[in-house]
Amino acid sequence: MTDTLLSSPESGNRERVRKSLARRHRSEAMFRWAGILSIAAALGFVAILFGMIISKGLPSFWQSTLHAEVYFDPELIEGGPQPERQDSASDADYRAAISQWQRDVTLSNWNAIVETAVRRTAPDFDIESREILALVTSAARFQLRDRYIADPAVLGQTVPVTMLASANTDNWLKGTIDRTQPDSRQQLSASTRQLADRLLAEGVISFDFAWHIFTNVDSRSAPASAGLAGAFMGSLYMMLIVIVLAVPIGVASAVYLEEFAPKNRWTDLIEVNINNLAAVPSIVFGLLGAAVFINYLGLPRSAPLVGGLVLTLMTLPTIIIATRSSLRAVPPSLRQAALGLGASRNQTVFHHVLPLTFPGILTATIIGVAQALGETAPLLLIGMSAFIANIPANPMDSATALPVQIYLWQGNENRNFFEARTSAAIMVLLGMMILLNAIAIFLRTRLERRK
């Protein structure tokens, strides 16, 4: 009985320990599974988002295209053959003759040439001129005009040409509109719809890859031929300006504040303001850019230069904060060792400390550039939402940007067509962002290996 009394406290302690271990193991298992479920949920939502974007946007890269034989009728094309240069004519006279010829060609009845080409694909089909022209994009006449101006030798010849179908025809053939709706609610007439279905069945209309999305600019008169070339170049110019300005200025500011600036009220005030600027809504930077760069300095409205400067101001706090964190992560022993071996303060910072922070600086650059690339609100306030019909040749030309183009297409009245085109533009924006990030990650990996 004495042994039983002595063993009872020990057995009770062991039981409590076992229960405590069991609770701890359960807590650890629950925490581990909670983390796994959280990661799985996050990846699931990302997969759903990307799946929705890709499923909607991918069909836009294939667009209905009409393959026809076009006869460049000399009776319809004004101006005749291209004028040849005479030996006695001056350069000015020859240029004037070419300009007059181009004007005459432009005034030709290209709609009649388009109509004739489409009718030849179904000669037995009875349809009015207005209805047959609704089958193809309104830019088809300009396409044929430019083809003739580039090669006047096609006059009087029949040439195979591919013409984009109109946005309404593309909607009908892809089934993005309700085919059961009455004729009064359809975007195309019954004859045009029947002709489109027939040409698709005969292979005259096919779904070809839409290269024009990458080569054309936005278009309001011919939505089917609208592209992203202007917006892409505008975003590229702005990102180059952000990288050229924000990275060196941000890194230099971070190095000075962390390594050289005296610790006093002024530097404390600067640090507080930098932290506050990182949390300021982006639209405020748009107001600042419109007031300073456009109204005060007189820089051109809608120019990538102004957009790049605004995005630089917005990106600077992010780069400064991230770079300072990288500098603080460098062990103090490295600075002390360099100083102990006779290195100056500048040599210690620029030869020993700063090279170790290059991976962190590139990480800050990735975060800042990715944030700037997707911004829309500040660009709307500096006029980059205007319709631009040309590809910008330099940062001073008027342009738009990919996020703004996405915003404009999402609000287009032809939602059946532009909803999918908007998802395609998002895919292009994500691809550009992934490419820039991949370059930065590659450079960061190379620098880490050198360490």
Side-chain angles (χ1 to χ4, degrees), residues 154-238:
V154 300
L155 183 65
Q157 298 183 10
T158 301
V159 180
V161 174
T162 59
M163 295 179 286
L164 287 175
S166 66
N168 293 333
T169 303
D170 192 68
N171 288 334
W172 173 259
L173 295 178
K174 287 181 178 178
T176 56
I177 58 177
D178 188 1
R179 290 189 168 221
T180 62
Q181 293 289 338
D183 290 347
S184 60
R185 302 193 61 180
Q186 293 289 352
Q187 297 167 322
L188 296 173
S189 65
S191 299
T192 305
R193 300 196 304 271
Q194 293 172 8
L195 179 59
D197 289 334
R198 171 178 168 176
L199 295 181
L200 180 64
E202 295 176 353
V204 177
I205 293 180
S206 61
F207 292 102
D208 298 345
F209 190 80
W211 293 104
H212 61 275
I213 292 179
F214 305 98
T215 58
N216 290 0
V217 296
D218 191 17
S219 177
R220 292 179 178 174
S221 60
S225 61
L228 296 169
F232 182 85
M233 290 303 300
S235 291
L236 184 61
Y237 282 135
M238 287 192 296

Side-chain angles (χ1 to χ4, degrees), residues 106-123:
T106 301
L107 295 175
S108 302
N109 190 0
W110 291 102
N111 279 336
I113 297 177
V114 173
E115 179 185 349
T116 302
V118 178
R119 286 189 183 277
R120 292 178 66 177
T121 61

Side-chain angles (χ1 to χ4, degrees), residues 72-86:
F72 290 87
D73 192 347
E75 296 183 358
L76 295 176
I77 299 178
E78 303 290 340
Q82 183 179 5
E84 297 181 358
R85 182 167 184 172
Q86 304 296 328

Side-chain angles (χ1 to χ4, degrees), residues 46 49-51 53-54 232 235-236 239 243 362 365-367 369-374 402 423-444:
V46 171
L49 174 63
F50 277 82
I53 293 174
I54 293 174
F232 182 85
S235 291
L236 184 61
M239 291 306 103
I243 293 173
L362 285 174
T365 303
I366 293 172
I367 297 173
V369 172
Q371 179 187 8
L373 183 60
L402 285 174
S423 298
I426 293 174
M427 293 173 62
V428 174
L429 176 62
L430 291 176
M432 185 177 181
M433 187 180 300
I434 291 172
L435 178 61
L436 293 175
N437 290 349
I439 294 173
I441 292 172
F442 172 75
L443 295 175
R444 183 181 66 185

Side-chain angles (χ1 to χ4, degrees), residues 406-423:
I406 292 170
Y407 169 78
L408 294 176
W409 279 358
Q410 181 61 29
N412 192 283
E413 61 275 6
N414 191 351
R415 292 190 59 84
N416 291 329
F417 181 79
F418 276 100
E419 185 175 4
R421 187 60 63 91
T422 300
S423 298

